[in-house]
Amino acid sequence: MEVTQASHGLGDPRLLEIIDKLVELNIGDSVALPQLLVVGDQSSGKSSVLEGLTGLPFPRDSALCTRFATQITFRRASSTAIHVSIIPDKSTSKEDAVRLKAWGKTGLRSFTREDFSQILEEVHRAMGIGVSSLGIKKSFSDDVLKIEVSGPDQQHLSVVDVPGIFRAVTEGVTTQIDITNVRAMVERYMENSRSIILAVIAASVDIANQEILDIAQTYDPKGQRTLGVLTKPDLVDKGAEGNALDLMRGTTHKLNLGWSMVKNPSQRELKMEGKLDRHALEQAFFKSQAPWSTLDKDKVGVHSLRLRLVELLTEIVRREFNHVRMDVMLNLQDCERKLAAMGPYRETRVQQHRYLLDLATKFQGMTTQALDSHYEHDDIFDVKPSLRLATAVVDRNASFSNDVWHHGHTMEFTRGLGSDEEGLSSKEATADSESSNAMVKTRYHVVSNDLDDILVNEQVRAGPEKGIMEWLENVYRSFRGFEMGTFHTSLMPIMWKKQSAKWDKLALGYASDIVSITHTYICDLLKEICEDDRVRGGLLSIMMDQLTERYKRAIDHTRFILQVERTPMTANHYFADNLEKCNGQRARALLQKHAFNDNQNNHIVRLSDLDHTASMNNEESNVQRLHDILVSYYKVARKRFVDNVCMQAADYHLVRGPDTAVKIFSPSFVSDLTPEQLERIAGEDALTKRKRADLSRKVENLKRAKNLLVAV
């Protein structure tokens, strides 16, 4: 049988050819491409409609019914030729894809129904249809058979035929899984928003039982891109023609593209084979057979249907071409970004080392900017606030100093003796503690990670307690000995221990927060510079011991500072200044009672009044002196303590010291990795290799597609 078709004028064949080439490049896997899609039940007469549209002698052997998508393309050329090939699906293995691409039939000028049957048998074998694997027989394939027909009398037309949906299982041929898989394949093609759905339905069957229309309505709810095709009008029972006529006239189930009707050859007519003139038989049927003879002539017959399809394909390609071009560009950018994020190939040790070296160099460069607060150099600091490391640490330093200032002392010092300006006597801080025994947190950066076993998260009582003089008096009396005019030397360490008791939780909470801030920074920066979860996980796995060591070192140093501060001692002259200031303020308060005004705004105290200032007994005097020593020393020790914890435990051990956690992942770290560690971290597993190969293939195809599209 010669493959022939009438010539019909068609504009922009170049655009249609480009769309076909995009299909060959599997661009349709990521970009919706304009196409004509033929769908229907297995018994709808779909194959006969295709034969009428294309002139191809489709086999009538049920064993060779459509088991895969078939793209049939016609184009004008100077000589007649038929080319048959297979387009591997994106999920096909690389080895099978190479084998399938190598298969093909070229140089054919025509073929008979028997030739076509033989070709399909070869295609079945090539795609592995009918072959059992792991106990499962493959009945359908996602690969695509492509048939290209070219010649001087051909006009461009391209249609895609997918397997017909079915509901009943045929023992030894199909399974329930096949029913599900075929429906999924059909839906995958139909959901393409740029496809024209050619829904083939037998007119002799109740439309309410036509599942294909339900599926079409799911993906085209407004009926904007579905063209209904009724077949087998000659098999409609007498008196039941009304349902089909209502569809054709748009009275029921109205579609924007309308309905067409074709009459497939009967079994008797098919036996004529070489003498069959389908077009003439169809014309005679729709002229003579009522009520079908009343239908518009441009809506009946394969000839009219083909004209309509050419118009539809031309229209949709023209309308969507620029959108396709834009989508290809966007997909190319996305795939290139994802491929770039995977980094270079990492198969050899040299490639793996270079890859990690680049990551480490970038990590340290970003860390230098983060520590120097040069956030303007990279937009990532705006997107990811946790990478503003210096700012986070400075903010936490300030809150730590403020917490120790307001909540660090257990007992509230007496007001007016050098304590007010230092925040050591606060009405606000003591108000909450008196009213409800309120607690304040010591952690501000609590995150869920693997460090909970070394971090501290406890609360402290808000503000100081009142009654410091009563407490000091009790302590003095408990340790009073034979001293004369003084007190026992053990009193100061005892008082100091209680007064600074809350420093432990405040300092350890602060150090834990700096650990948390640092660890979050490391993890977030790794995630920003390396999108490969496996590489990040491998790096953190090997780094974790060193990170934990430095975190523990910072926590331990905080405890060391706390232990040192347990023994009160200072050589700071401000202690003596503070104590002298306290004595002066106390003397001033006593003398103020005897002062009088000399009418010149001067306060005068008589020398004789000085004899009346010492109104306290020895015990009261010693307790007052204990208070003054404690407050004077606390002011000096608190500032020293806060600075030491911030500078030594946090800054030196965690942030800016020579051996901090943020400096572990460096070029020297990469150089010390063993070959086994390099492979475990940077080596690509099978999944990554497949992902890289898939992205590389997509990028290559999208670039070729881009070149095709921009040339128009």
Side-chain angles (χ1 to χ4, degrees):
M1 176 183 290
E2 290 275 347
V3 180
T4 61
Q5 62 185 66
S7 175
H8 305 291
L10 178 66
D12 296 332
R14 173 67 176 156
L15 300 185
L16 299 171
E17 289 180 5
I18 289 176
I19 296 298
D20 277 345
K21 290 180 180 178
L22 297 185
V23 173
E24 291 180 28
L25 295 171
N26 289 119
I27 302 302
D29 292 335
S30 50
V31 175
L33 297 177
Q35 62 182 12
L36 295 175
L37 178 65
V38 184
V39 297
D41 289 354
Q42 279 191 350
S43 58
S44 62
K46 182 165 64 75
S47 295
S48 186
V49 172
L50 276 171
E51 182 171 328
L53 286 172
T54 64
L56 296 175
F58 281 80
R60 302 194 176 102
D61 184 356
S62 60
L64 293 176
C65 66
T66 309
R67 302 298 180 114
F68 38 78
T70 303
Q71 180 189 355
I72 306 170
T73 301
F74 294 89
R75 58 168 52 95
R76 178 171 293 180
S78 58
S79 59
T80 300
I82 300 174
H83 178 65
V84 185
S85 60
I86 297 175
I87 303 174
D89 182 66
K90 63 178 181 179
S91 62
T92 304
S93 67
K94 185 176 181 180
E95 295 75 13
D96 286 341
V98 172
R99 178 177 55 79
L100 290 174
K101 287 181 179 180
W103 184 92
K105 300 288 183 180
T106 58
L108 301 175
R109 294 182 59 82
S110 65
F111 50 69
T112 63
R113 200 175 303 277
E114 290 72 21
D115 294 333
F116 202 173
S117 297
Q118 184 178 351
I119 288 174
L120 290 181
E121 288 176 357
E122 291 185 32
V123 172
H124 279 219
R125 288 194 295 270
M127 294 184 180
I129 295 175
V131 177
S132 296
S133 176
L134 300 177
I136 301 176
K137 186 177 181 180
K138 184 178 180 180
S139 301
F140 294 86
S141 175
D142 289 324
D143 300 318
V144 178
L145 174 66
K146 181 173 184 180
I147 303 174
E148 298 176 84
V149 181
S150 56
D153 297 326
Q154 303 293 343
Q155 289 295 333
H156 197 104
L157 177 66
S158 182
V159 296
V160 177
D161 175 41
V162 293
I165 60 175
F166 59 98
R167 303 170 190 82
V169 172
T170 302
E171 187 175 355
V173 179
T174 57
T175 65
Q176 192 66 40
I177 295 177
D178 292 331
I179 294 176
T180 303
N181 290 343
V182 167
R183 182 182 175 110
M185 182 192 302
V186 172
E187 290 184 1
R188 190 167 67 249
Y189 277 90
M190 292 176 74
E191 69 181 355
N192 176 2
S193 60
R194 292 178 180 138
S195 66
I196 297 296
I197 301 171
L198 195 65
V200 181
I201 299 166
S204 56
V205 179
D206 185 0
I207 190 173
N209 298 326
Q210 296 297 317
E211 186 178 4
I212 199 66
L213 278 182
D214 294 335
I215 301 175
Q217 193 166 21
T218 299
Y219 295 102
D220 181 27
K222 295 183 179 180
Q224 299 294 314
R225 56 187 183 89
T226 301
L227 172 64
V229 178
L230 291 174
T231 64
K232 305 180 181 181
D234 51 320
L235 299 182
V236 178
D237 294 335
K238 291 295 182 181
E241 300 93 344
N243 291 335
L245 291 174
D246 287 342
L247 288 173
M248 291 295 296
R249 291 166 180 163
T251 305
T252 60
H253 207 96
K254 187 174 182 179
L255 298 174
N256 185 56
L257 300 182
W259 289 81
S260 293
M261 180 178 284
V262 299
K263 179 196 173 295
N264 295 330
S266 64
Q267 291 298 321
R268 181 180 62 81
E269 292 167 343
L270 288 174
K271 293 179 181 179
M272 299 168 57
E273 194 66 56
K275 302 177 182 179
L276 177 65
D277 186 342
R278 175 176 179 146
H279 179 57
L281 289 172
E282 252 189 335
Q283 274 189 321
F285 176 83
F286 286 114
K287 280 183 179 181
S288 60
Q289 297 296 318
W292 318 120
S293 57
T294 63
L295 296 173
D296 293 342
K297 298 300 181 258
D298 61 347
K299 292 185 177 180
V300 297
V302 168
H303 181 74
S304 297
L305 176 60
R306 192 178 189 286
L307 284 175
R308 179 73 173 129
L309 294 181
V310 168
E311 293 171 356
L312 288 174
L313 183 60
T314 302
E315 179 184 348
I316 191 173
V317 169
R318 283 175 176 168
R319 186 178 70 240
E320 298 291 339
F321 193 83
N322 286 334
H323 298 297
V324 170
R325 177 160 43 200
M326 181 60 67
D327 285 353
V328 166
M329 302 294 188
L330 293 175
N331 270 271
L332 176 58
Q333 292 175 9
D334 183 57
C335 288
E336 286 180 329
R337 182 190 62 78
K338 290 178 179 178
L339 190 60
M342 294 186 71
Y345 284 94
R346 310 191 300 271
E347 294 185 3
T348 67
R349 189 183 306 173
V350 173
Q351 291 173 334
Q352 294 163 2
H353 185 270
R354 185 182 300 117
Y355 170 70
L356 292 181
L357 198 61
D358 290 343
L359 285 182
T361 302
K362 187 172 183 180
F363 185 94
Q364 288 305 317
M366 295 283 289
T367 297
T368 299
Q369 294 176 18
L371 292 177
D372 292 342
S373 302
H374 285 316
Y375 306 136
E376 74 280 3
H377 291 168
D378 200 306
D379 292 339
I380 192 59
F381 292 111
D382 296 324
V383 178
K384 204 76 175 176
S386 61
L387 297 183
R388 295 182 170 228
L389 183 57
T391 301
V393 171
V394 170
D395 288 346
R396 189 61 182 91
N397 289 350
S399 62
F400 172 54
S401 178
N402 188 64
D403 286 345
V404 177
W405 182 13
H406 288 294
H407 310 293
H409 47 302
T410 303
M411 305 300 296
E412 180 183 6
F413 292 104
T414 300
R415 296 176 61 81
L417 293 176
S419 59
D420 290 357
E421 73 276 13
E422 294 293 334
L424 303 181
S425 176
S426 169
K427 293 181 180 179
E428 294 78 5
T430 56
D432 290 338
S433 62
E434 287 182 337
S435 61
S436 60
N437 290 324
M439 305 294 287
V440 294
K441 62 185 181 180
T442 61
R443 293 285 306 278
Y444 297 84
H445 296 270
V446 180
V447 295
S448 178
N449 51 45
D450 299 330
L451 304 173
D452 292 341
D453 58 332
I454 65 172
L455 303 183
V456 178
N457 186 14
E458 297 184 72
Q459 293 182 327
V460 297
R461 193 174 187 271
E465 303 174 33
K466 285 187 175 297
I468 188 171
M469 298 310 294
E470 292 82 358
W471 167 63
L472 289 175
E473 185 177 340
N474 289 332
V475 173
Y476 173 76
R477 287 178 175 177
S478 298
F479 287 83
R480 185 165 48 180
F482 295 106
E483 302 87 359
M484 295 181 63
T486 182
F487 45 80
H488 199 279
T489 56
S490 62
L491 285 180
M492 187 59 189
I494 292 170
M495 294 185 301
W496 180 248
K497 180 179 180 181
K498 178 173 181 177
Q499 189 68 339
S500 62
K502 292 193 285 184
W503 284 11
D504 293 57
K505 294 178 181 179
L506 290 169
L508 291 172
Y510 161 77
S512 296
D513 269 353
I514 301 299
V515 168
S516 183
I517 290 170
T518 303
H519 194 68
T520 300
Y521 169 83
I522 291 171
C523 294
D524 286 355
L525 181 53
L526 281 175
K527 191 172 184 178
E528 291 301 323
I529 66 174
C530 175
E531 294 188 4
D532 193 318
D533 294 339
R534 181 171 175 269
V535 173
R536 289 201 311 275
L539 281 171
L540 285 173
S541 176
I542 292 179
M543 291 167 56
M544 202 60 199
D545 286 344
Q546 297 184 51
L547 289 172
T548 303
E549 177 190 351
R550 284 155 178 79
Y551 298 153
K552 286 182 177 178
R553 192 185 301 166
I555 299 295
D556 290 344
H557 194 81
T558 303
R559 290 193 170 97
F560 168 76
I561 294 173
L562 287 165
Q563 185 63 36
V564 170
E565 290 291 348
R566 285 290 166 263
T567 303
M569 187 186 75
T570 183
N572 194 324
H573 69 88
Y574 283 111
F575 169 67
D577 293 346
N578 292 334
L579 187 57
E580 184 177 347
K581 187 176 181 180
C582 286
N583 293 334
Q585 288 178 339
R586 196 175 299 282
R588 179 184 178 90
L590 291 173
L591 291 172
Q592 191 73 33
K593 300 175 183 179
H594 303 282
F596 62 89
N597 197 303
D598 64 353
N599 295 324
Q600 296 182 4
N601 292 326
N602 296 316
H603 291 81
I604 306 298
V605 177
R606 297 183 179 90
L607 290 175
S608 59
D609 291 333
L610 296 178
D611 297 333
H612 302 288
T613 58
S615 59
M616 294 184 293
N617 58 36
N618 287 338
E619 180 178 320
E620 290 174 332
S621 177
N622 284 333
V623 170
Q624 289 285 1
R625 184 162 177 77
L626 282 173
H627 174 276
D628 295 347
I629 292 173
L630 186 60
V631 69
S632 299
Y633 179 72
Y634 189 91
K635 291 165 63 176
V636 172
R638 178 181 63 81
K639 296 176 181 178
R640 177 185 66 203
F641 171 70
V642 170
D643 283 346
N644 285 343
V645 173
C646 291
M647 293 178 64
Q648 298 177 29
D651 191 74
Y652 183 82
H653 284 293
L654 292 172
V655 183
R656 294 189 296 178
D659 191 28
T660 63
V662 295
K663 294 183 179 178
I664 292 176
F665 184 43
S666 62
S668 60
F669 170 86
V670 175
S671 298
D672 290 339
L673 293 174
T674 66
E676 292 75 18
Q677 289 175 324
L678 277 174
E679 176 62 33
R680 188 163 70 249
I681 297 173
E684 295 182 336
D685 57 14
L687 179 62
T688 304
K689 289 179 180 178
R690 286 196 299 271
K691 181 180 178 181
R692 184 187 294 278
D694 182 54
L695 283 172
S696 298
R697 182 168 57 251
K698 281 186 177 179
V699 167
E700 180 183 355
N701 288 339
L702 286 166
K703 283 182 177 179
R704 293 169 64 185
K706 174 185 174 182
N707 292 335
L708 289 170
L709 292 165
V710 297
V712 178

